[in-house]
Amino acid sequence: QLQLVESGGGLVQPGGSLRLSCAASGFTLDYYAIGWFRQDPGKEREGVSCISSSGGSTNYADSVKGRFTISRDNAKNTVYLQMNSLKPEDTAVYYCAAASVAVLPTCWDSDQYDYWGQGTQVTVSS
């Protein structure tokens, strides 16, 4: 079964950090670009960050630029999203998605992605 599984979410205070992981099973991520999206209830899904299959290109939403870092370890079949200086407005369910086509530099079109994870909740609150 082909699937993506996110982990690493949780409750953190403003200014804190979390690292999300996106692990693939049933297929290798080597040839897939990966995107991270988030959605808060009542809001539209928002693209957060993405990384090319090689890891050589990345992109970030303006709202997270300078605070979030995306990376990948193809040997571990996993993509990471390091989130620092978290703000209450970062609260959302975070999803990772895999695209077999080139999606960078603009990678916010969710229709381009073939596989999606089930999401992990991130809550930033004091």
Side-chain angles (χ1 to χ4, degrees):
Q1 185 177 2
L2 309 180
Q3 61 178 352
L4 295 171
V5 179
E6 302 95 337
S7 61
L11 173 64
V12 63
Q13 292 187 342
S17 298
L18 285 173
R19 188 177 81 157
L20 304 184
S21 298
C22 172
S25 63
F27 69 108
T28 176
L29 289 180
D30 290 22
Y31 306 109
Y32 288 84
I34 302 298
W36 282 98
F37 294 79
R38 65 187 181 187
Q39 188 167 23
D40 209 17
K43 297 183 180 179
E44 291 189 359
R45 183 163 50 193
E46 172 189 19
V48 175
S49 182
C50 56
I51 187 167
S52 62
S53 57
S54 68
S57 297
T58 59
N59 196 14
Y60 298 91
D62 288 342
S63 58
V64 306
K65 205 169 290 184
R67 299 188 296 121
F68 290 12
T69 303
I70 191 170
S71 62
R72 65 190 301 155
D73 186 340
N74 284 350
K76 295 184 178 180
N77 220 22
T78 301
V79 174
Y80 304 98
L81 185 68
Q82 178 67 43
M83 306 187 297
N84 297 330
S85 302
L86 283 161
K87 305 175 181 179
E89 51 263 43
D90 294 318
T91 296
V93 177
Y94 284 70
Y95 301 89
C96 66
S100 59
V101 297
V103 294
L104 277 82
T106 55
C107 46
W108 313 134
D109 182 359
S110 58
D111 290 340
Q112 293 182 294
Y113 292 84
D114 304 291
Y115 304 107
W116 289 82
Q118 83 291 345
T120 186
Q121 176 70 47
V122 171
T123 302
V124 184
S125 175
S126 55

